[in-house]
Amino acid sequence: MVQPLIVSIPHKLGKDEAIRRMKDGLSTVNTKYAHLLQVNEEVWSGDRLAFQITAMRQQASGTIDVTDDHVRLEVTLPWLLAGIAHGAQAMIRERGLRMLEKK
């Protein structure tokens, strides 16, 4: 079994503002990153998002939990994507930090 990819992104926005920014940012994924991935399902339940994506024709699923001071992404990847996940981890963290920067 492949270990999940976990990325924790700190922020100083508070939970409600972080959720708002996550929703805004995630709404652009299908257009901005269509060549890399597609969001098939997004279900928000309070401060948790459960999602399913397709990347490189591979299915993956995960969750995003938003707290007062950080956002935690956990995604379970198929073996093909797990091999490149380490490189993607830094990019996900950087993009998440940009999305959650205080403005």
Side-chain angles (χ1 to χ4, degrees), residues 40-89:
N40 302 320
E41 185 176 74
E42 262 183 71
V43 179
W44 280 95
S45 177
D47 54 8
R48 171 175 267 216
L49 168 66
F51 63 88
Q52 292 187 6
I53 61 170
T54 301
M56 297 172 49
R57 297 187 176 146
Q58 301 291 308
Q59 301 290 316
S61 61
T63 58
I64 296 176
D65 292 299
V66 182
T67 69
D68 289 329
D69 62 354
H70 73 279
V71 172
R72 183 180 185 276
L73 164 77
E74 181 173 331
V75 60
T76 303
L77 301 168
W79 68 269
L80 181 64
L81 294 177
I84 61 171
H86 184 68
Q89 193 170 17

